Amino acid sequence: MASSRRQSQVYSITDTESVPGQCTTEQALDAATELTEEELYLLVEEAFGNNEFLTQETQMLEWYIKRIDPKDLQKAPVSLQPSLDRPTPSQSTYDLRGGRKRSKSRASSIEKVLRLLAEQKCDVAQAQVEEIRENMQKFQNESEKVLSNHKAVIEEAELRCTELKKAEYEFDRDIIKGAVIPRSGKVMAEKIIRNFEDKMKARDALIEKLRLKNSTLKVQLRKLHLQLKQKEEMGEVLHEVDFHQLKIENSQYLEKIDERNQQLLQLKMVAGNTMQILSSYKKKLQALTKESEHLAIETTARNDLYNKIINEITAVEMERISNEKVNKRLRKQLSDFKVPETLDYVNEKANLYELKNSVCSWERKVEIAEMALKSYKKKWQQLKSGVMEAPLKPHGQSAQAFA
């Protein structure tokens, strides 16, 4: 608490030092000697901050005076910026204590300091801000011009590059590949000359077209200059009030455009939602169409199966009817059937056994007869071959004799 009170006393003494007759620097130094090094260091830092703030205000005031009347500034002394570094606590105490003798000689030369009011400072700052804005606007306009020039140069270079690529492609197509003699492999000079002549004619036509366009633009520019002069003579030139009115109308139109843009954004959002709903319904429709196709295929398969089952039922019904007829006939036969006597059955069985034996014997006899037939056939073949060889022997003997 005591240190803060001492600092406030020092601050009050140093603040009144600028006004003559209120307090001497010796009183300020006596009050400062009662402070510690840290308090003095904080005090010196605050003084440096105040000095920096005052130098910035002074620079801003100089810029303002330069803008208004630079002749008055040449007569006034040039403001020096503080070049001293911030001292350490020991250095600050040494300067304050050792500077007591110098403050006595300086007290006589203290002049009354003129300070600007807050309104005047605001005016200076506002003027400086406006100047900075104007400079920024000028720099932005210049940069936009430079940027537009660079864009135009880039576009021209791109167009030139495309034209060169097109010309290279056409030259390769028409001359290098199309004008080569297949036998000798040389390029025809007539086609090259004709190609260059066509290119020169096209360039001349383009130059003539651009010249006519340039002349028409010059005529339009002259007409616009004449119309502007006539408006100036008639007093139809827009004044500052008209510009303000146009700015107000422009702001109103911009507000309307913003409202319409908001409405357009809302409509776009609604359209996007409707498109999403439409896409979802389309997906559902596709799924339902696929399901309907599957159901149609399944329905046709079920109909085919139903028809097949009906045909099978009719066939089974017909078979049932025929089987019922056979069953009735068999039942009728069964009802009419009479079991024979046992003796007749035994006799029939004995006859059947005898018949089987006779069949077996006859089959054996047939096999024996077949074997005899085969042997007879072999003998017959042998006899036939012997009969055919007998008349050939004398004919062979006569042939030997003749030889």
Side-chain angles (χ1 to χ4, degrees):
M1 292 293 288
S3 64
S4 62
R5 287 175 184 174
R6 287 195 298 271
Q7 286 180 4
S8 62
Q9 290 175 2
V10 173
Y11 295 157
S12 62
I13 291 166
T14 53
D15 291 335
T16 56
E17 188 180 358
S18 60
V19 181
Q22 291 184 0
C23 184
T24 61
T25 56
E26 292 180 357
Q27 293 177 357
L29 292 172
D30 291 333
T33 51
E34 295 177 359
L35 298 175
T36 61
E37 291 184 358
E38 293 179 357
E39 292 172 352
L40 290 171
Y41 182 71
L42 294 172
L43 181 63
V44 172
E45 277 190 347
E46 187 174 357
F48 269 103
N50 293 327
N51 288 332
E52 288 178 0
F53 182 73
L54 290 171
T55 52
Q56 289 177 1
E57 286 185 351
T58 306
Q59 287 177 359
M60 192 176 291
L61 183 61
E62 286 178 2
W63 292 335
Y64 181 72
I65 293 168
K66 281 181 182 178
R67 188 179 178 184
I68 292 172
D69 193 1
K71 293 180 181 179
D72 296 335
L73 185 65
Q74 291 177 2
K75 297 177 182 179
V78 179
S79 63
L80 298 173
Q81 295 181 355
S83 60
L84 296 174
D85 297 330
R86 293 187 178 181
T88 58
S90 61
Q91 291 175 354
S92 62
T93 54
Y94 178 75
D95 293 337
L96 287 171
R97 291 170 183 172
R100 185 177 295 176
K101 294 178 181 180
R102 289 179 291 179
S103 62
K104 291 179 180 179
S105 62
R106 199 181 297 168
S108 61
S109 63
I110 293 173
E111 297 178 355
K112 188 176 180 180
V113 179
L114 295 175
R115 294 180 180 273
L116 294 176
L117 298 175
E119 294 178 357
Q120 294 173 349
K121 290 180 181 180
C122 289
D123 293 335
V124 172
Q126 188 67 28
Q128 188 63 29
V129 169
E130 289 178 358
E131 185 179 0
I132 291 168
R133 283 179 181 173
E134 289 177 0
N135 292 329
M136 287 176 67
Q137 189 66 31
K138 287 179 182 179
F139 181 73
Q140 187 176 1
N141 294 328
E142 290 176 358
S143 62
E144 285 178 357
K145 287 180 182 179
V146 173
L147 183 62
S148 62
N149 290 329
H150 286 307
K151 285 183 179 179
V153 171
I154 290 167
E155 289 178 359
E156 186 179 359
E158 288 178 354
L159 291 172
R160 183 64 179 166
C161 185
T162 53
E163 288 177 359
L164 288 172
K165 286 181 180 178
K166 186 178 179 182
E168 183 183 1
Y169 173 74
E170 290 177 355
F171 186 80
D172 190 11
R173 182 190 62 189
D174 298 333
I175 304 301
I176 296 174
K177 294 181 180 178
V180 177
I181 300 169
R183 292 182 180 179
S184 62
K186 296 180 180 179
V187 181
M188 296 174 67
E190 294 177 356
K191 286 190 176 181
I192 297 171
I193 294 167
R194 194 183 304 145
N195 188 8
F196 282 115
E197 288 177 354
D198 294 335
K199 291 286 179 67
M200 293 296 289
K201 287 179 182 178
R203 287 297 175 88
D204 292 336
L206 181 62
I207 290 165
E208 186 66 24
K209 185 178 178 181
L210 292 173
R211 188 181 63 78
L212 293 172
K213 190 175 181 181
N214 192 10
S215 62
T216 53
L217 289 173
K218 284 181 179 179
V219 172
Q220 290 178 1
L221 185 63
R222 288 175 186 173
K223 287 181 180 179
L224 291 172
H225 280 299
L226 290 172
Q227 289 177 1
L228 185 62
K229 286 181 181 179
Q230 289 176 1
K231 285 183 179 180
E232 287 178 355
E233 290 175 359
M234 296 293 291
E236 294 180 359
V237 181
L238 295 174
H239 299 287
E240 189 175 358
V241 178
D242 298 327
F243 281 114
H244 285 296
Q245 187 176 0
L246 288 172
K247 283 182 180 179
I248 293 165
E249 291 178 356
N250 190 13
S251 62
Q252 292 175 357
Y253 286 127
L254 287 173
E255 289 178 356
K256 289 181 181 179
I257 289 165
D258 291 332
E259 291 177 358
R260 295 297 174 85
N261 287 327
Q262 292 294 328
Q263 293 177 0
L264 182 63
L265 287 172
Q266 291 178 358
L267 291 173
K268 282 183 178 180
M269 290 174 68
V270 172
N273 293 325
T274 52
M275 288 297 291
Q276 289 179 357
I277 295 166
L278 181 63
S279 63
S280 63
Y281 281 126
K282 281 182 179 180
K283 289 180 181 178
K284 289 181 181 179
L285 181 63
Q286 288 177 359
L288 291 172
T289 51
K290 287 181 180 178
E291 189 176 358
S292 65
E293 289 175 358
H294 179 69
L295 291 172
I297 293 165
E298 191 174 356
T299 304
T300 53
R302 293 289 178 86
N303 289 325
D304 294 335
L305 183 62
Y306 176 72
N307 294 323
K308 191 183 287 184
I309 290 168
I310 288 172
N311 292 326
E312 288 180 357
I313 289 168
T314 53
V316 168
E317 188 68 24
M318 295 295 291
E319 189 176 357
R320 185 184 65 78
I321 292 167
S322 63
N323 288 328
E324 282 182 355
K325 289 179 181 179
V326 172
N327 193 9
K328 286 179 181 179
R329 183 170 59 78
L330 291 173
R331 282 183 179 181
K332 189 177 181 182
Q333 287 180 1
L334 184 63
S335 63
D336 295 337
F337 180 73
K338 291 180 180 180
V339 179
E341 294 180 358
T342 306
L343 185 60
D344 293 335
Y345 176 72
V346 172
N347 291 328
E348 289 292 333
K349 197 75 174 171
N351 290 328
L352 180 62
Y353 181 71
E354 288 177 358
L355 287 172
K356 284 182 178 180
N357 289 329
S358 63
V359 167
C360 288
S361 63
W362 279 109
E363 286 179 355
R364 180 67 180 165
K365 287 178 183 179
V366 168
E367 288 178 358
I368 292 166
E370 285 179 354
M371 290 174 69
L373 180 62
K374 287 180 180 180
S375 63
Y376 290 149
K377 281 182 179 180
K378 285 183 181 179
K379 288 179 182 180
W380 176 249
Q381 290 293 331
Q382 288 176 2
L383 288 172
K384 282 176 75 174
S385 61
V387 171
M388 292 295 291
E389 287 177 357
L392 291 172
K393 285 182 180 180
H395 180 70
Q397 289 175 0
S398 63
Q400 287 177 2
F402 180 76

